[in-house]
Amino acid sequence: MDKRINSRDKKKNATVINKGLLRQMKRIVIVLVYLIIVCIILNYAKNFIKSDKKLRILINSNDITLKYEAFVKNDALYMSVDDIDKYFGANTYSEKDEDGKDTVISMSGNKILRLTDGEKIYEINNTTQSINHNFENKNGVYYLPVSEIMATYNIDIEECDNKVVNIELLNTEKKVAKSTKRIKVKFKETTFSKTIDKIRKNEEVTIVQEGKKWTKIMANGGYLGYVKTKYLKEPRVIREVFDDGITSEIKEKDNVLELTNDYIKESIDTITKSYDKRKDFILKVVDTAVKKKLNAVKVNFNGVKNKENYYRFLTELRPYLNEYSISLIAVKNDELSEERLKNIVNEIK
């Protein structure tokens, strides 16, 4: 009799233990499911900017990472020369002018921009225009008022909502489309992603990257996100690729002016020591080349001591010549770097 009772007690205790384990396992499963849901939410919500006081810069409706933070001062947008060179394909450097003032020179395509500290004008090639803002030097980093010198870099600046500035590169294609219905803009390419904006029916948006199922777009509020491709209609190109003319065909080089040490009265280092001196010499060379209807100018100077100024001279000479379809040839000697030259001139001898 006692044995039967003990057996029933054991079974009862085992049942209680099993039920307890089952409840504990259910709790663990619920906690795991909750953690998975939280991780999914965090994964889709990360990096989402809904309201950020920090100025956000887009290039062709794409997020970019700036080396130095851009800022707005007196209604002008400033960007560092490092970021200007990287994203606008420019070549920017600074030096002292003949009066000892800081000067910033920035080259893009066939345009050469010169800004001088304290002056309310800027110079592009051989013309001057008035300007309301000048460059700024913050802890050794130069910033340029790009909103005032847009023509230099062939850009257009669009100010969006939520402290977003979109910079359009005018030498690239731009495409737009309309929505077929009221749709949600998702942070990632999935229906379960966070909704970051909404688009009205027939609202026009900028296409950033097309895909079969999802298309990355920029809405009018400045938000970047994804919508289902099937909900977009009437895609069209509103800006063709722009050509500024610097890549115009260079003529055959059978009529060449060769610049050597005998061509100049001063040393080459004296002629290239400042932007003003280089420009004066460049204008004389270009004037001669155009009048004589030359096909090329070959630069072959020896005894160069300040190589950096010499490279700048060649860099600044090329756009002036190429504007008239005149090729710039540089003679490589032991004093110069072929790697530097091939990024500056049309041809190396």
Side-chain angles (χ1 to χ4, degrees), residues 177-186 195-203 205 214-215 217 219 226-233:
K178 291 182 179 180
S179 59
T180 59
K181 55 181 280 189
R182 182 178 174 84
I183 53 178
K184 296 177 180 178
V185 182
K186 296 294 184 177
T195 298
I196 59 176
D197 202 356
K198 293 180 180 179
I199 299 174
R200 301 184 304 274
K201 183 178 180 180
N202 290 322
E203 182 176 343
V205 296
W214 293 88
T215 292
I217 59 101
Y226 294 89
V227 298
K228 288 187 176 180
T229 303
K230 65 181 180 180
Y231 295 142
L232 295 177
K233 64 178 182 178

Side-chain angles (χ1 to χ4, degrees), residues 81-257:
V81 297
D82 297 74
D83 293 312
I84 287 171
D85 287 358
K86 179 178 179 179
Y87 292 107
F88 302 161
N91 178 20
T92 308
Y93 42 88
S94 62
E95 60 182 49
K96 298 288 185 181
D97 69 1
E98 295 290 291
D99 298 321
K101 295 181 180 179
D102 281 343
T103 298
V104 174
I105 298 132
S106 187
M107 302 184 59
S108 177
N110 62 352
K111 299 183 182 73
I112 304 176
L113 168 76
R114 195 260 291 268
L115 291 167
T116 302
D117 189 27
E119 294 186 4
K120 289 294 184 180
I121 60 171
Y122 68 94
E123 183 180 305
I124 294 184
N125 292 6
N126 202 28
T127 63
T128 58
Q129 298 182 43
S130 60
I131 193 171
N132 294 318
H133 308 84
N134 210 311
F135 66 82
E136 296 209 0
N137 185 342
K138 291 188 173 184
N139 300 318
V141 178
Y142 285 93
Y143 294 81
L144 305 187
V146 292
S147 55
E148 284 212 68
I149 53 177
M150 293 187 290
T152 305
Y153 307 112
N154 290 321
I155 62 173
D156 188 28
I157 298 177
E158 304 171 347
E159 187 175 354
C160 308
D161 299 333
N162 309 299
K163 296 205 71 165
V164 177
V165 174
N166 181 46
I167 300 176
E168 290 285 331
L169 306 182
L170 298 181
N171 60 340
T172 59
E173 183 182 86
K174 183 175 182 179
K175 196 172 185 179
V176 298
K178 291 182 179 180
S179 59
T180 59
K181 55 181 280 189
R182 182 178 174 84
I183 53 178
K184 296 177 180 178
V185 182
K186 296 294 184 177
F187 177 64
K188 287 194 174 182
E189 301 165 89
T190 171
T191 305
F192 302 104
S193 178
K194 188 178 184 69
T195 298
I196 59 176
D197 202 356
K198 293 180 180 179
I199 299 174
R200 301 184 304 274
K201 183 178 180 180
N202 290 322
E203 182 176 343
E204 194 169 75
V205 296
T206 300
I207 295 176
V208 179
Q209 185 177 6
E210 292 182 273
K212 290 183 178 180
K213 292 184 177 180
W214 293 88
T215 292
K216 188 176 183 181
I217 59 101
M218 186 178 81
N220 293 327
Y223 293 121
L224 286 172
Y226 294 89
V227 298
K228 288 187 176 180
T229 303
K230 65 181 180 180
Y231 295 142
L232 295 177
K233 64 178 182 178
E234 301 175 15
R236 60 192 179 93
V237 175
I238 62 172
R239 185 181 66 229
E240 301 285 352
V241 175
F242 178 80
D243 184 3
D244 63 5
I246 193 169
T247 56
S248 57
E249 184 179 352
I250 302 298
K251 301 172 186 176
E252 293 295 324
K253 295 172 284 296
D254 56 355
N255 187 14
V256 181
L257 168 67

Side-chain angles (χ1 to χ4, degrees), residues 312-327:
R312 291 180 181 182
F313 160 65
L314 294 173
T315 302
E316 293 159 12
L317 174 60
R318 177 178 174 175
Y320 278 99
L321 292 175
N322 286 180
E323 189 173 3
Y324 295 97
S325 298
I326 302 172
S327 180

